[in-house]
Amino acid sequence: MKFHYFASCPRGLETILSDELVSLEASNIKIVDGGVKFESSIDIMYRANLSSRIATRILYRVANGNYKTEEDLYNLALTVKWSDLFDVSHGIKVSTTGVKCPLKSLDFITLRIKDAVCDQFRGQVNNRPNVDIRDPDIRIHLYLENNYFDLYIDTSGQPLYQRGFRKSSVEAPIRENLAAGILVLTGWKPGIPLLDPMCGSGTFLMEAAMIALNKAPGLNRSFGFEFWKDFNLILFEKIKSEYQAQIKPLNFLFIYGSDKDLRAIRVAKKNLQEAGLSDVVELSCRTFDDISPSSKEGILIANPPYGIRIGEDENLAQEYPLWASTMKRKLSGWRTYFLTSDLRMPKLMRLLPTKKTPLYNGALDCRLFEIKIVKGSNRIKSP
């Protein structure tokens, strides 16, 4: 039996997420802004949660249709058989997102959906679930666009970019699913040397290592659907065992990380050890100027500090030409990729980007700049 789902993701990665769902044999796949709608069996939904490197959440649609007023939404939510979906003992949280919504208060709508869930339970079991804002077992999402609504239960629980490995982080770490999507956009494949010279807490390194080892990112965490009444533990454990058996043996994968901050290197090392990946990646504490590529070709990938992150735009303006000089001297033949919200970067580097991919790092409008390093051929000419 097939059900309707919506998988959300960082904006700019919708097509990559769609490709993942195609590989899982989901059907009726439709790309929308911020995610992908699809249909699938419960089996595929379990697999998507365990294996997707790009999705943020996977939501199961329990109702949809048209509305005019808050009471319309309350009455429609009241028709959902919530007590058939989960037990009254589980804490709930309701959230609402509106795009061009004609109603005045999303907070009031959220309250009315919560009332509908509790009222339905009272009518069925003479009891109501508690509201748990911090760590709910059941997350309910209402999405409003104009006079149309979709009502979902979250199958994922905590966001899927929380792999269950990263215990520590430095300032402004990149989310794991965005890092994984960027790796896909660069065209990197296991075996190609990969260098992150500003590795921070090691997110790019961990995502690349898990891709190379064919390790499903969700094997070390739990999911929201485990609280549902129809949760099929036998099927879920079977799928997990399949993914576990597909993991490749540990060996060094030509993945290199460095950072000028020794604290960041310590954090990255701790996270890699927690994930069982410390033998796969080589770490070193060094400045960008001191990087030492291990081969004539490879991929450099970085999420450098930019404006909002450190508040030092002028310092960065002075750093960019130094990075460019190092790349010209040491990385001829490499492809380099920088995720930044500072659109001045290539111009200040005086290097011509071959690609500019729009991406969102949280709410920040960013670009992934691709700069191929070929001696004397990609420098921006002076006027």
Side-chain angles (χ1 to χ4, degrees):
M1 186 173 179
K2 291 188 176 182
F3 303 93
H4 294 272
Y5 297 97
F6 172 70
S8 61
C9 68
R11 287 164 63 191
L13 298 181
E14 293 90 347
T15 299
I16 299 174
L17 175 57
S18 174
D19 292 342
E20 283 190 334
L21 293 168
V22 168
S23 71
L24 292 173
E25 300 183 354
S27 59
N28 291 333
I29 294 171
K30 180 184 178 183
I31 295 174
V32 296
D33 187 30
V36 179
K37 293 182 177 182
F38 67 101
E39 295 178 22
S40 80
S41 63
I42 289 177
D43 173 287
I44 291 174
M45 181 268 283
Y46 288 173
R47 291 178 184 275
N49 274 286
L50 280 164
S51 68
S52 177
R53 303 185 191 279
I54 308 302
T56 301
R57 296 183 181 277
I58 297 173
L59 308 177
Y60 164 51
R61 195 180 76 192
V62 295
N64 69 307
N66 297 308
Y67 73 95
K68 290 184 179 179
T69 67
E70 290 89 346
E71 288 309 299
D72 290 340
L73 291 167
Y74 168 83
N75 289 322
L76 289 161
L78 197 62
T79 65
V80 177
K81 296 181 179 179
W82 302 102
S83 55
D84 289 348
L85 295 171
F86 59 91
D87 191 82
V88 71
S89 62
H90 293 310
I92 66 169
K93 177 182 178 180
V94 180
S95 59
T96 302
T97 302
V99 177
K100 299 179 180 177
C101 174
L103 304 182
K104 292 182 179 180
S105 172
L106 295 185
D107 288 339
F108 180 67
I109 298 167
T110 301
L111 181 63
R112 292 302 284 152
I113 298 299
K114 184 270 296 179
D115 289 343
V117 176
C118 292
D119 290 347
Q120 203 267 353
F121 265 97
R122 281 197 192 94
Q124 293 295 316
V125 299
N126 198 31
N127 199 356
R128 53 154 286 177
N130 290 323
V131 173
D132 186 344
I133 300 298
R134 293 188 175 182
D135 189 25
D137 299 328
I138 303 294
R139 289 173 165 84
I140 298 167
H141 298 267
L142 175 66
Y143 179 76
L144 304 173
E145 184 171 8
N146 294 318
N147 291 104
Y148 183 84
F149 80 95
D150 285 302
L151 187 58
Y152 300 99
I153 291 188
D154 193 336
T155 75
S156 303
Q158 296 294 335
L160 292 177
Y161 58 75
Q162 295 183 9
R163 313 297 200 206
F165 297 123
R166 187 167 70 182
K167 304 300 182 183
S168 305
S169 64
V170 294
E171 184 182 356
I174 188 172
R175 287 179 175 172
E176 288 83 346
N177 58 343
L178 178 56
I182 289 171
L183 285 165
V184 174
L185 290 171
T186 67
W188 175 80
K189 303 292 183 185
I192 298 175
L194 179 74
L195 168 64
D196 181 354
M198 307 173 193
C199 69
S201 55
T203 306
F204 279 121
L205 309 177
M206 293 177 65
E207 292 301 309
M210 285 196 290
I211 291 170
L213 294 173
N214 198 32
K215 186 172 186 177
L219 288 173
N220 199 47
R221 52 160 289 160
S222 58
F223 300 94
F225 57 71
E226 295 178 50
F227 294 106
W228 296 7
K229 283 187 173 180
D230 67 352
F231 173 51
N232 189 330
L233 178 60
I234 295 174
L235 174 62
F236 181 59
E237 291 297 334
K238 176 178 176 289
I239 294 169
K240 282 184 73 174
S241 296
E242 289 177 17
Y243 283 123
Q244 196 73 45
Q246 294 170 8
I247 300 174
K248 297 178 180 179
L250 288 175
N251 55 72
F252 181 61
L253 298 171
F254 306 104
I255 299 172
Y256 305 88
S258 60
D259 202 290
K260 66 180 182 180
D261 184 352
L262 180 59
R263 183 177 66 93
I265 294 298
R266 288 170 175 163
V267 168
K269 183 176 181 180
K270 182 178 179 181
N271 288 333
L272 286 163
Q273 287 174 338
E274 186 72 29
L277 300 171
S278 54
D279 293 335
V280 176
V281 177
E282 181 180 296
L283 289 173
S284 60
C285 184
R286 61 180 69 191
T287 63
F288 193 103
D289 187 56
D290 288 332
I291 58 175
S292 180
S294 60
S295 64
K296 292 182 178 180
E297 295 182 348
I299 290 177
L300 178 148
I301 188 168
N303 174 35
Y306 41 87
I308 261 184
R309 195 156 119 185
I310 63 173
E312 296 288 348
D313 284 343
E314 293 312 310
N315 288 347
L316 281 172
Q318 296 173 14
E319 287 285 324
Y320 293 152
L322 300 177
W323 298 350
S325 176
T326 298
M327 287 154 53
K328 295 290 287 184
R329 285 186 291 109
K330 297 186 176 183
L331 295 176
S332 179
W334 281 55
R335 285 181 286 132
T336 69
Y337 296 85
F338 294 88
L339 178 71
T340 178
S341 66
D342 188 349
L343 305 187
R344 308 171 304 160
M345 175 183 276
K347 183 176 181 180
L348 293 175
M349 280 185 164
R350 297 196 57 185
L351 293 173
L352 187 65
T354 45
K355 285 183 184 177
K356 305 174 186 178
T357 305
L359 291 173
Y360 278 81
N361 186 3
L364 283 177
D365 182 9
C366 297
R367 296 294 181 275
L368 179 67
F369 290 113
E370 176 192 76
I371 302 173
K372 295 179 180 179
I373 307 302
V374 182
K375 285 187 178 179
S377 67
N378 62 342
R379 185 176 296 277
I380 296 175
K381 294 181 181 179
S382 298

